[in-house]
């Protein structure tokens, strides 16, 4: 169909699936979902600093991260301005809500949608809108609702204000 496999999450950063398509991890295939909806009337463009861009449309389906599950919007790749982006397969949505290159509304990033207190189809709506992502060459871990001090050497994180409103730096 129009939408090829879309990887919703890049959370399993530790190892690629050796049995998946030539070693590439495919986490989501719209054709296998009975609840997938593509809103072709909601296209958008994401433009990068190097002037390359991808075109996508807003799609909706259920997403599960561990014990948390919600019906959320996400982008389905349509085309790219450069062959370098032809294999784009999705990102977990660690960003903050923003507008597309032409001022259009983008799907709410996954972690925002999952913890949206208005999302009646989410069992994570009660969580704080904070997350922690740890990664190393051997594995990765996503913690929703804040962070687990046991996972940090010294058990403590410090937040610093960022130059961008609504964002912060952790050190």
């Amino acid at each position: 169909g129009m939408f090829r496999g879309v990887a919703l999450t890049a959370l399993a950063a530790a190892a690629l699936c050796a049995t998946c398509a030539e070693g590439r991890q495919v986490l989501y295939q719209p054709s296998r979902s009975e609840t997938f909806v593509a809103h072709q009337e909601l296209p958008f463009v994401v433009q990068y600093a190097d002037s390359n861009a991808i075109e996508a449309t807003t799609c909706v389906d259920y997403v599960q991260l561990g014990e948390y599950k919600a019906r959320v919007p996400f982008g389905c790749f349509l085309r790219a301005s450069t062959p370098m982006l032809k294999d784009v397969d999705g990102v977990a949505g660690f960003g903050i809500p923003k507008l597309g290159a032409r001022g259009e509304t983008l799907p709410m990033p996954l972690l925002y949608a999952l913890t949206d207190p208005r999302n009646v189809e989410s069992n994570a709506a009660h969580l704080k809108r904070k997350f922690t992502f740890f990664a190393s060459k051997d594995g990765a871990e996503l913690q929703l609702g804040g962070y687990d001090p046991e996972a940090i050497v010294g058990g403590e994180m410090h937040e610093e204000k960022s130059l961008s409103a609504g964002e912060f730096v952790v050190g």
Side-chain angles (χ1 to χ4, degrees), residues 46-163:
V46 175
Q47 188 158 0
Y48 298 97
D50 65 0
S51 297
N52 285 312
I54 60 168
E55 294 179 46
T57 194
T58 300
C59 297
V60 178
D61 206 348
Y62 287 93
V63 172
Q64 185 165 349
L65 294 175
E67 65 189 76
Y68 301 110
K69 183 178 181 180
R71 186 166 170 80
V72 298
F74 54 91
C76 286
F77 176 88
L78 295 173
R79 64 192 132 271
S81 64
T82 174
M84 291 183 347
L85 294 174
K86 72 178 176 50
D87 291 326
V88 67
D89 66 356
V91 176
F94 290 161
I96 60 172
K98 64 180 184 176
L99 296 177
R102 300 178 187 143
E104 66 275 56
T105 300
L106 298 180
M108 185 179 287
L110 174 61
L111 299 178
Y112 271 77
L114 192 67
T115 57
D116 184 350
R118 298 165 299 173
N119 188 345
V120 296
E121 295 186 76
S122 174
N123 68 349
H126 66 284
L127 293 175
K128 290 181 186 176
R129 280 190 155 165
K130 289 185 175 184
F131 70 91
T132 307
F133 182 71
F134 299 96
S136 71
K137 65 178 182 157
D138 300 319
E141 180 176 316
L142 174 66
Q143 297 176 359
L144 299 175
Y147 73 94
D148 176 6
E150 298 286 321
I152 301 167
V153 175
E156 199 174 321
M157 273 199 213
H158 303 280
E159 297 176 9
E160 301 291 333
K161 291 196 183 266
S162 173
L163 295 176

